[in-house]
Amino acid sequence: MRSKTSVTGYLARTPQLKRLQNGLLLFVTQLGQKQYQRQSDGTFTLTGTAYVGLTVLGTRAETAFELFTEGDDVVALGEFHSRTFERREESVEQIQFRADKLLFDTSHPRYTVTRSPRPVDAAPSLPASSPSAAVEFRAPAAMALGR
């Protein structure tokens, strides 16, 4: 089973779409994640916000730029990377999250997604004589029983 690192948060800066020297598109923003501390009475107190740079590369960058805006709650799947650059003649190292996928966080109810209906003939039909293309996966018996 494939897995990626995921981070949740909100887009803390207005996203920008940049074109790199090699022509590759780059979606750039900042991901904010509010930090809370649980109190003895069961309530939570906001203690601050952690920020990390968020980037998306390639054609996904253009799609992300069209779909997302500052303040959106998101889930990003990808990897953390270290980036080093010069600022005021000093070498600065910065941690960024490079997302392969950027999704709306559906646990926040303020989103509505409007989609056009899918065409009825969207699924290709197989000729009657061809074998089924479906593949079935089953967990081993011990896993299915939670052992």
Side-chain angles (χ1 to χ4, degrees):
M1 184 173 287
R2 293 182 192 154
S3 65
K4 290 269 185 186
T5 300
S6 66
V7 292
T8 60
Y10 66 96
L11 299 185
R13 284 196 182 152
T14 302
Q16 297 177 352
L17 186 64
K18 298 179 179 184
R19 186 171 301 276
L20 302 177
Q21 290 176 350
N22 61 4
L24 192 64
L25 290 173
L26 178 67
F27 173 87
V28 180
T29 188
Q30 190 174 44
L31 185 73
Q33 193 176 68
K34 293 181 180 177
Q35 308 292 307
Y36 293 92
Q37 181 176 8
R38 186 182 176 108
Q39 303 300 316
S40 57
D41 65 357
T43 62
F44 293 88
T45 302
L46 180 63
T47 59
T49 304
Y51 297 98
V52 67
L54 176 69
T55 60
V56 180
L57 292 168
T59 57
R60 292 179 182 141
E62 191 170 17
T63 303
F65 187 73
E66 292 171 4
L67 293 176
F68 295 96
T69 189
E70 184 176 351
D72 283 343
D73 295 303
V74 297
V75 177
L77 292 97
E79 297 175 339
F80 284 98
H81 289 271
S82 177
R83 174 180 172 247
T84 304
F85 59 95
E86 295 290 323
R87 179 187 291 160
R88 297 184 188 125
E89 299 181 16
E90 284 187 36
S91 182
V92 177
E93 184 176 0
Q94 183 181 55
I95 302 296
Q96 291 183 332
F97 192 81
R98 188 175 303 151
D100 296 324
K101 292 184 182 182
L102 188 61
L103 312 164
F104 287 104
D105 186 347
T106 57
S107 66
H108 295 271
R110 69 180 195 179
Y111 294 108
T112 56
V113 178
T114 306
R115 300 192 195 285
S116 57
R118 292 184 179 167
V120 176
D121 61 351
S125 59
L126 297 173
S129 62
S130 72
S132 173
V135 177
E136 183 177 346
F137 294 96
R138 293 184 184 206
M143 289 179 68
L145 298 174
R147 296 182 191 161

